[in-house]
Structures are given as structure tokens and as C-alpha cells.
Amino acid sequence: MGGALRAARERRRRAGMERCDLGERRQGPVWTRRAGAAAPRGVIVNIIRSVQGYHSKTIHFLNVAFDSSGDSLLAGDRQGNIYIFDLNGNRFNLVQRTMQACTALAFNLRRKTEFLVALADYSVKCFDTGTQELVSWMRGHDSSVSSISVHGSGKYAITTSTDTAQLWDLDTFQRIRKLNVRQSVGIQKVFFLPLSNTILSCFKDNSVFAWEFDTLHCKYQLPTPVEGSVLFYKVFAVTRDGRTLVAGGKSNHLHLWCLESKRLIRIIQMPEKVRAVRHLEFLPGSFDGGSSQVLGVLSQDNVMRFINIETCKLLFDIGSPEEGISTAVISPNGQYIASVMENGSLNLYSVQALTQEGNKPPPSMLKVVQDGPKYISEANKLITKVTSGGSKGPWTSKGSKIQSRLLKLQANTSLENKENELPGGLNKKRLRALLKGFGEYPAKYRMFVWRSLLQLPENHLAFSSLIDRGIHSAFINIQKEYPIKSRKLLRVLQRTLSALAHWSAIFAETPYMPLLAFPFVKLFQNNQLICFEVVATVVVNFCQHWFEYFPNPPVNVLGMMENVLAHHDKELLQHLIKYNVTSQVYAWPLLETLLSEVLTREEWLKVFDNIFSNHPSYFLMVVVAYIICSRAPLLHCYQAADFEYFFHHRNNVDINVVIKEAYHLMEATPLDIHPQRMLDDFTPLTKEQYPVFNKYPTFVVDYKAQEREKIRQDEIEYLRERQLAHESAAKAQEQKAEDEVWYRKQKLLREAQEQRRKILLEEEERLAEQRQRLAVAKTELKVKELQLLDASRRRFLNYQQDQLQMELKRLDDEIARKASMRKQETAAAIQDIVLQQMELESQKQRFEQHLIQDQEAVTKEMKEEVDAHRRKVDLEDQRVQRLIEINREEIQKAHTVAEENLAKAEQKHIDTDWRLQAQRRLRRDDQDRQKCYQEIVKLLHDNRVKEAELLKAMRETEEKKWEDVVHKKAQLEEEQKVAAAADEHRKQFLDDKMNDALELAEKLQREDGCSERLRDLKATCTERGVEVQQVPRSGNIHLNELSTLASSPRRSLDRSRAELARQERELMAEVRRLRQRLTAQAQNRHPPTRIPATAWSP
């Protein structure tokens, strides 16, 4: 009956549990709704991987591992699949398929995306979760690897098997050393101790050795346990501070070893149900300072019990005999427990849900000594039984607890006083005790504790008045020097620095102020008032005497630190002095950045927890302690660049050791060199109004402020002049006047200090270069303007040439049209003659001989006429070409004159520029400047007058040329009219002669041989038509070859004209003679009354 009830309760519990089946998915969500603190039995989610098929089955998980943050979980199953679970993002991803079962995992390497996995083939592989690629493959084991331990730096790892342990360098993935043992002994586990360079090796013969990591020399061996408490160790666990070792095995006893004193301090007896211990794991706490008090013990019954090793109280347990745990891992942040169950699934537990009590501070160090029974063995004195209600041991009882609390309360009440009282109800001494116990304040309450320790006044009105002044001119362009991605963070930093600069002028001149204030700005970015007051308090108290030697580093403070370093580590100081490394190299970078460059966020917060809780001199001791703790790498540095790099980058230094060393320096430093003697005690800011801060050389700051204001005014003047120069580019007539404005630059003050003179000279050179570039730009602009004017003028000339060419083309087209008309008229005449020939062929053949003779005469006459017409056309073409050539010569002359004038103007412009450059070189001579300006103005006026005269001359030349063009166009039109009249006259003349010839031919038809002459006449007319048809072609050839005709001299044209007239007279004479001969023949054959008289015009 009882078993059925338990089974029913188990089914109901499982029904409310969140479950995730990975299946064949490569990625997806882990849970649909996170249970949190309300999770049943603390289980957030149960993860399984089932495979569907003919036989469905569940693939068992074998190993799990958390990363260093505790927010990501790595799990490997039997088939070699490696999954990563993002617990914050609620996602899982399949990152690798190794195809082999994994035997161990490690996910806390230096490169956060890499992990180590030990496989069944005895090899160890390194994979990357981002690229999902194999990084390295390490071999060397002859048996299965059971554990992987990674050094705190993440650079080294130890892999352990039953017969050997091997040390690996994770940067090169090379094996460094190998630990071999006899087969009869065997290795249980080899691992690194946290927060130290010690390797702990545990063997099967119960021996435990500690080895120095650097030299691998044996440091110590734990002694053999006392008689009656010997057990064979199988499993081990170490606290986060590396001080306590817990060992267990085939027994219900656990041995607690103190590794500092190398002795067994306690034996814990587990309940009777526990017969053997399979796994041990400490549960980290938020307030335990690394000395974990809660231990998880996994026993043979598959139940993991969590006990407090101080009170031996059973806190809670996970797992059950029905749903047992195979192995378990706890996250470094103490929020999760991941356990591999016996059924192959993976359970993720919430520690918050498992325990509602939360982590508590360690118990009081005050113990009450009681009388115990006599003759108790040494082993029985150490044994403490674990109970579910409280601790049972020989040294404690209920009455003793009450008494210790009362004694502690009375002691605290007697020691408290008004000096330790802080705002918010806190006590400074209690805070120091808490800090000493845990090493740091709780992150949740750290800002509240800081505000109480610094006693911030929260002067809202005073801070508002500083903010209302706006952004200080020194920090307007701070984003150029410190490019911060977050705009909000940049804005808060800018406002905080501006408020500091308005509060005291020295902070506007301090170059390292942004570096000093940035860590606090990042912490208090949501409350600017608190941020400002924290920075101001730090400057007033922890930066005392820093500004007395401004702008130089505080040599007095650096001297104090050097004295402390010389007292405690003279060898290191001598090494630094040997290589000319001063305190400005090894101490000042740490001071001006408040150690933010060399520490992580968590380390920096822990350090300032201690700084704010102590005297201001403790800050200097922390810096000296950091240097002393870094003596090993510093002694191996021999170059100045190496030292500078070391003090500007993060290094592998244990901050807890630095803090402890700083406390040691505070106590061990003699009073005569102790910084506390020179520094004042902590003084909070005053309420309502902030105190006056003038602990600096005011004349230096005031002088720098004046110099900066002058430079700013010069920059404003420069920007104004540059704006005027841009406007002058649009107004060409005002360019020279604006050049004078650019040359009026004031001389830089020569009364500046020697150390600032270089900066001012560089600024002056930069401004001069900008002026020179502007002058060059203006010169180029003027040259471009002249080039545009020249291009415009050339474009106008090209336009005129295009117009003339178009006119010539129009004349060519007109001549071609007229030639075409002549061709058509000639073709019509030829067609009429052919018709007449066809009519005459139907007549008698007896007149053929006479007609042929007449036709030959007429053909000769027509040829002469055609030649005369061709010569006439050639003469006309030559005249036209000559006219074009004359016009072209006139245009070329005008162009030459314009180019000469332009060259003269350019020469004058060059001379003017040369004089301006000479004036620029003599601009420092104030006495001659006005005289040179007057000469330049006079030259400019003369140039303007000459340019006006040149333009007037060019306009007159242009008007004359246009008059010549108009006159010659009129002459051309008159000659064209005369040529048209001559063509009409010749046409009329030829028509008359043709009519006369036809009439004469009709009269001679009745005579013998007349038919032959008529045929010859027709043939002659046909040839005449063909030749006349060729006349315009000849004319076209002459028109296309205008360039050849244009090259002939004027006397050749006159000779052609005379020859043409002579040929015309000879042609007329031959026509007259032919006509007379035909008339005589006609008179001989016919009566004179039948032939009409014909008169020839000369």
C-alpha cells in the first residue's frame, strides 16, 4: 500500500515537471516556461534524447560541464553528440558529432568558445562551439581519460587516466610533462588547486602529493590519517579558495584536510544509509569568500545529499532510489546543478528552489570550550555526525550557541562608537569585518555600501548649477579622443567631466581625468549626481597632492611609493632603476587610471571595496602591492617598451594576493616613510555646497586657459575667414579683396612657456598650410575661370566657323540645284531633238550628206560654247573661293589679335600674382604693408583700364569685320545677279541660234545631201546634250576643290579671265564664219529671195 502511494506521488510530481526531448533537432528552446523558485523538487527541466524508429530508444547522456560563468552547459551522450545549453537565452545547439562516447568534458578554457572532450579511443580533442570545427587533437593516453582539470588561467590542462597524467599547453596543444606511476599503485585523480599554481595528485594507495606548477617539484605530502580513520580515497573536492580538501571512498566517512596546515581537521560521518561515496562537489556561495561551506555528497544509493561541513547539518538532497543520479556538476556561480540520471536523462536543478534559506555568512569565530569525557581517542574527537536538525559534536551544544551569540553581541556593543557610524544605518567597523571575511561586498548592495562609506552629501542644487553651465569647451570634442560606442555613456561622461571642470578649472586641463572618471561613470551612469560626487570624493581624498606639480606627474606621491617599494623589495627597485624605469613608468599609469587598465571589472570592484574601506594611503599601497606581486615577470623584462606594455595591459596577477599584500604593507611599513603620515584622513564632501578645490598652481592653469581661449578665438577667426573665402568663390570680382583678409592673421604670442611653445608653433604651421592650400585653391579657381572664358571665346569662334561652313554648304546646294535645272533643260532639249530626228528620218535620205556637214559645224560650235561655259563656271568658282579665303584670312587675323591680347592679359595676371606672392612674403613688415597694398590696387586699376581698352579694341575690330562681311556679301549678290543675267543671255542666244539652224535645215531638206547633214546635226546635238549634261558635274568638282583654287595667286585668275574672253571671241568668229559659209551654199543652190537675211550680234 505504501509503495503504491509513493508511486502515485512520483507520477504526480513528474506530471508537473518541465521536459525537453531533443530528438533529432540540432537547435531549439530548452523549456517552454521556466519554473524558477516554484520548480517541483527544484527541477527546472528534464532533458532527454529519444530516437524514433522500429525500436524507439533513449540515448543516455554521459558527462556534463559548465563554463566559467555558469550560464552555459555542455553535455555529451553515448553516441558522441555534444550539445551546448544556453541557460540565459533558453536555447540548445548541437555543436559536434564525435561518433564516439565521451568520457570527460571541460568547458572553462581561456578561449570561451572552445572545449575539451575525452573520447573512448583514449584521445582528447578540442572543438570550437562557434565554428563547430576541430581545433586540435591530443593523443598520448593508453587508457580511458577519467577527468580533465583546467588551470584558473585557462591556458593549461591536466588529463588523468588510471596509469598516467599528462600536462598540456592549450595555446600550442603540446604536451609539457607526463606523470607516470607504477601499475600496482595507480592514479585516482590529478587536478589544479584553485587560485594557486599547485597541482594535487591523489593515488590509489591513499597518498596525496602537492606539486609546484612552474617547476613540478614536490611541495608537500599530506600525512597518513590517524589510527582508526583510514579509508581508501576514491573521490575528492576542493573549495574555491583552495584551502580545504574533502576526500571520500568506500565508507560513510569524509575527511576534511586543511591544505595550509597540511593536517586532518575533521571527519564527517554521513547517515547510515550511505555506505560509499561516488562523487563530491562543493556548492559555491555568494558570501562565503571562496571558502564554500556546503558540500554535495553522491552516495551509492544514487542520492546526492548537501551538508554544511561546519554545522554538519543536512540541508537538502536530490535524486531518489527510483530516479537515481549517476553524476552531477554544480555551476561556478552556484545557481544550477546539472545531474546525469541513471535512466540517461539530464536534470537541471535550481539551487534557489532547493534551499529557501539562502547562503548565510560564516559562523562566529567565537567558540565555547566545554569539558568532555576523558580518555577519548584522537579519531573520535574529530568525528562529527551529520544530522537533519543540527550539529552534534564534542565541542558544541545548544547552550554554548546561545552563550556565544550573547558574548558576541556584547562585544560589538562595547566597541561601536560614533566615528564608525555611517549613513544608512551601517557601521564602518562591521563593514570592514565583513570585507575581511569575504574579500568583497555583495554585488547587490555594493553601490549602497560605497555611498555610505564615501558619505556622499547629494547636493542636488549645487550639482544642478554645475550642469546648467553646459558642456565645458575642453570636452566638446571628447568623442574624437575617446570614441565610445554607447551614446548614453559618452553623454554622461561628457557631463560629469564638464561639471568637474566648472567646479575647478584644473580638471579641464588634466589630460587623464577621463581615464580616472570613466570606471565610475560606467558604474553610476543612471545617477549622474552620485557619479559626480563619487569622482569628486575620490579626487579630494584619494588623489591628494596630485596637482601640486601640475602639469607634471605628482613627484611627491611617486616618491612616497618609491620609498615604500625600496623598503619592501629593494631588488625589484634596483632592477627598475638599472633599466631607467622610473616611477612615472611603473606607478603613474596605475594611479592615473585607478588600476582600470590592468584589472577586470570584478577585480577592480573588489579592490575598490577595500580602498573605500581604508585610509586614503591604502590606495598607494595597493599600487605598490601590485608591483611587488608582479616581480617575477618584471624581473624578466629588459626593455623600456616591455615595462610600458606591462603597466598598460592586464596581467596574470591574483588580485586577492595583491589585496592581502597591500594590508601587509600598511602594517609593515615604517612610520617615517608611510604615506599615511603625508596624507590626510578621509574627508567627505560638504553639504549644500561643494568645497573649494584650489590645491594646484593657479598661474599655470590660468595661463593654459588663456592660451586655449586665444587658440579658440583664432580658430573662430579662421573658420570665419574660411566661410568668407567660400563666398568669394561665387564672386570673381571680390577674390583679391578677400585674399587680403586671409593674409591678416595675428602673430602667435611669444610669451608662452617653453614647454608649450612647440604645440603653438605646430598650430601656427597647420593654419599656414591651410591658408596656403586656400590660396592655391583660389589660384586654381581663377585659372579655371580664365580657361572657361577662353573656352567660351573658342566656342564662339567655332560657332562662327560653323555658320560660314553652313553658308558655303547652302551655296553649294544652290549651285547644285541650278546645275540640276540646267541638266533637266538640256535633257528636255535633247528629247525634242530626238523627236525631230525621228520625224526627219521619215523624210527623204537625199539631204543626209548636207545635214551631216551642217551637224559637224554645229557640233563644233556647241563644243566651243560648252567650253566657254565651263570656263565661265570655273571663273565664278574661283571668285567665290577667293571671297571665302579673304573672309577666312580676316577672321584669322582677328583671332590672332585676340590671342595676343589674351596672352598679354595672362602675362599681366602672372605678374600680378608674382607681386602678390612677394607681398605675402613681406606680410610681417607692418610698415611696408600699406604701401604694397596701394601699389597692388593701382596695378589692379591699370589692368582694369587696359582690359577695358582691349575689349573696346576687340569690339571695334569685330564691327569692322562684320562691315567687311556685309560688303562682300553685297558684292557676291551683285556678281550672282550679273552671272544669272549672263546665263539668261547665253541661253537666249543659244535658243535663237538653234531656231535659226532648224529653219535653215528645213530649207535645205529639198537639196541633195541634206539628209546626211541633218543626221549629223542631230548626232551633234545629242553629243552637245551629253557634254552640257557634264557641265554641272565639272562645276561641282571645282566647288569641292575650293582649297586648291584658293591657293592660286591673283594674277592666275586675271590670266584665266583674259583667256576665257579670247576663247569666247574665237568661238563667235567661228560660228560667224560657219553661218556665212552655210548662207553662201544656200544662195548657190536656191534663189536669194527664199533665204531670210540674218544679222549676228558682235
Side-chain angles (χ1 to χ4, degrees), residues 312-329:
C312 294
K313 178 182 176 181
L314 179 62
L315 303 178
F316 58 89
D317 57 17
I318 58 176
S320 63
E322 294 81 11
E323 192 174 350
I325 297 176
S326 176
T327 184
V329 177

Side-chain angles (χ1 to χ4, degrees), residues 749-765:
L749 297 176
R750 299 180 179 178
E751 293 82 7
Q753 291 183 353
E754 187 66 24
Q755 58 183 350
R756 300 298 179 188
R757 186 172 298 170
K758 293 182 180 180
I759 299 175
L760 297 178
L761 291 176
E762 291 176 357
E763 183 71 17
E764 183 182 3
E765 292 176 358

Side-chain angles (χ1 to χ4, degrees), residues 895-909:
H895 182 68
T896 303
V897 172
E899 288 183 349
E900 291 177 356
N901 294 331
L902 180 61
K904 291 179 180 179
E906 290 178 353
Q907 185 63 34
K908 290 293 184 182
H909 180 68

Side-chain angles (χ1 to χ4, degrees), residues 1-55:
M1 186 67 179
L5 291 175
R6 284 194 299 271
R9 285 197 299 268
E10 185 67 21
R11 285 194 298 269
R12 286 195 299 269
R13 185 181 63 81
R14 292 184 181 180
M17 184 189 302
E18 183 77 22
R19 175 164 293 186
C20 174
D21 188 357
L22 305 182
E24 297 298 332
R25 294 182 297 166
R26 299 185 63 88
Q27 59 182 356
V30 183
W31 54 75
T32 57
R33 183 180 62 85
R34 183 164 181 172
R41 291 187 57 84
V43 180
I44 299 176
V45 65
N46 174 252
I47 303 171
I48 64 172
R49 180 171 179 260
S50 60
V51 178
Q52 302 297 329
Y54 183 75
H55 294 291

Side-chain angles (χ1 to χ4, degrees), residues 504-540:
S504 180
I506 183 64
F507 300 127
E509 309 297 332
T510 306
Y512 57 84
M513 186 54 62
L515 299 175
L516 186 145
F518 182 74
F520 300 104
V521 170
K522 197 169 184 181
L523 284 176
F524 299 98
Q525 56 183 318
N526 295 324
N527 193 333
Q528 299 182 29
L529 170 63
I530 300 301
C531 178
F532 168 77
E533 293 187 349
V534 168
V535 177
T537 304
V538 169
V539 170
V540 171

Side-chain angles (χ1 to χ4, degrees), residues 786-824:
L786 294 176
Q787 291 177 355
L788 290 174
L789 292 175
D790 183 67
S792 177
R793 181 175 57 79
R794 292 179 183 276
R795 182 179 178 185
F796 180 72
L797 294 177
N798 293 333
Y799 175 74
Q800 287 182 341
Q801 291 180 1
D802 294 339
Q803 291 292 332
L804 292 176
Q805 290 180 0
M806 290 176 63
E807 187 67 23
L808 291 176
K809 186 176 181 181
R810 188 182 64 78
L811 293 176
D812 292 342
D813 295 340
E814 186 68 21
I815 293 172
R817 186 178 63 80
K818 290 182 179 181
S820 177
M821 292 176 63
R822 290 178 187 146
K823 182 177 179 180
Q824 292 177 0

Side-chain angles (χ1 to χ4, degrees), residues 56-69:
S56 299
K57 61 179 180 179
T58 300
I59 306 301
H60 286 210
F61 286 99
L62 298 179
N63 288 280
V64 289
F66 281 97
D67 65 349
S68 56
S69 65

